[in-house]
Amino acid sequence: MAKEGGKEVEQQGFVPKDYTDPPPAPFFDFGEFKLWSFYRAIIAEFIATLLFLYITVATVIGHKRNSDACGSVGLLGIAWAFGGMIFVLVCCTAGISGGHINPAVTFGLFLARKVSFPRAVLYIVAQCLGAICGCGLVKAFQKSYYDRYGGGANSVAHGYTKGVGLGAEIIGTFVLVYTVFSATDPKRSARDSHVPVLAPLPIGFAVFMVHLATIPITGTGINPARSFGAAVIYGHQKTWDDHWIFWVGPFLGAAIAAAYHQYILRATAIKALGSFRSNPQI
């Protein structure tokens, strides 16, 4: 009887949800500046991005140096390096800063009101500085190889147009940011969710899969800090000619992913208007 009654109530739409959506972050939260946790999170983003660029750019240079030998990791190995490092670093920093490690991710979460404007800006600054320092470390340890093999800098490959490169960056970043939203959605704890998830794992796999698809086109940016740090340290003109693609593409992809998740999948605007509610008191 209890089950039948519960089903009847659920069919009528009266069952309260068994998960909690966090409240939207304020646009400005000046109280954050008084908290050590705020500055700790910025430091965590800086260090994580530094480590990310150091390991991944060193892997790219090592591959190019040994491309004709059996010691090369190949493009598959490069993709694993990027995806694996994201998995590791998100695991390490998720509880401190949220584990963004990418201005496009930060931008998408800001648009979805997950972080405040000051936090988003300082995260992006920390990520870019961390990327510059990470690439600088690689160059300091392997200067001749760094310059010879392109410093891991992103540019549109020969045979592809800038439009194709931009499209690859938009779609690749959409995949990544969409995965971030889905993997961290509090609704995954709801009664109708049967797919438990360790958030860093699908995020790392998303980075891995996107690299497999787009390394031949742009070298895979999908992270403006990664592209910016490599461009600053490498400094060649071709890299700067194409550099706008690696900001515009990821930011557009992140914005589309945020809108898709918030307004289509989670139907935030529709819920706010109550369009599908027959009883306004529900």
Side-chain angles (χ1 to χ4, degrees), residues 9-281:
V9 169
E10 187 171 357
Q11 288 175 356
Q12 293 177 358
F14 290 99
V15 178
K17 60 185 181 182
D18 57 352
Y19 64 94
T20 302
D21 283 314
F27 188 79
F28 281 104
D29 186 2
F30 294 105
E32 287 183 315
F33 293 99
K34 301 177 182 178
L35 302 174
W36 163 241
S37 59
F38 178 65
Y39 300 99
R40 180 181 63 188
I42 294 169
I43 294 169
E45 287 293 310
F46 170 80
I47 296 298
T49 314
L50 183 156
L51 295 174
F52 176 61
L53 267 293
Y54 174 75
I55 295 297
T56 54
V57 171
T59 302
V60 170
I61 292 172
H63 157 67
K64 291 185 177 180
R65 180 185 174 190
N66 299 303
S67 59
D68 296 328
C70 295
S72 173
V73 297
L75 294 182
L76 184 63
I78 292 173
W80 273 120
F82 278 89
M85 278 304 291
I86 287 296
F87 169 70
V88 169
L89 293 170
V90 172
C91 280
C92 292
T93 59
I96 300 171
S97 66
H100 297 193
I101 322 170
N102 184 335
V105 171
T106 301
F107 180 66
L109 293 174
F110 165 69
L111 292 179
R113 300 288 303 279
K114 305 293 185 183
V115 295
S116 67
F117 179 73
R119 183 179 290 264
V121 170
L122 290 177
Y123 272 22
I124 291 172
V125 171
Q127 291 156 0
C128 290
L129 291 176
I132 291 170
C133 292
C135 291
L137 281 177
V138 178
K139 186 171 184 177
F141 296 149
Q142 307 182 53
K143 187 176 189 308
S144 61
Y145 295 123
Y146 187 92
D147 292 332
R148 186 184 309 171
Y149 297 116
N154 292 117
S155 62
V156 179
H158 180 72
Y160 293 97
T161 66
K162 291 186 179 182
V164 171
L166 180 63
E169 289 296 305
I170 291 172
I171 295 171
T173 310
F174 175 88
V175 171
L176 170 59
V177 178
Y178 175 37
T179 303
V180 170
F181 275 105
S182 298
T184 58
D185 192 336
K187 194 173 182 179
R188 283 193 170 274
S189 64
R191 68 174 66 82
D192 60 346
S193 177
H194 306 290
V195 188
V197 64
L198 174 64
L201 187 60
I203 294 170
F205 263 108
V207 173
F208 168 69
M209 298 303 293
V210 171
H211 274 76
L212 290 181
T214 60
I215 284 177
I217 303 172
T218 61
T220 309
I222 68 170
N223 183 333
R226 173 258 187 276
S227 302
F228 180 70
V232 168
I233 300 301
Y234 185 55
H236 285 217
Q237 188 60 43
K238 167 63 174 171
T239 301
W240 287 114
D241 289 343
D242 295 344
H243 188 66
W244 65 272
I245 292 171
F246 302 100
W247 285 88
V248 174
F251 273 42
L252 280 176
I256 296 169
Y260 175 62
H261 185 268
Q262 292 295 102
Y263 298 110
I264 304 299
L265 300 186
R266 295 301 304 273
T268 304
I270 294 173
K271 288 177 181 176
L273 294 172
S275 299
F276 292 119
R277 295 180 179 178
S278 59
N279 187 338
Q281 295 181 349

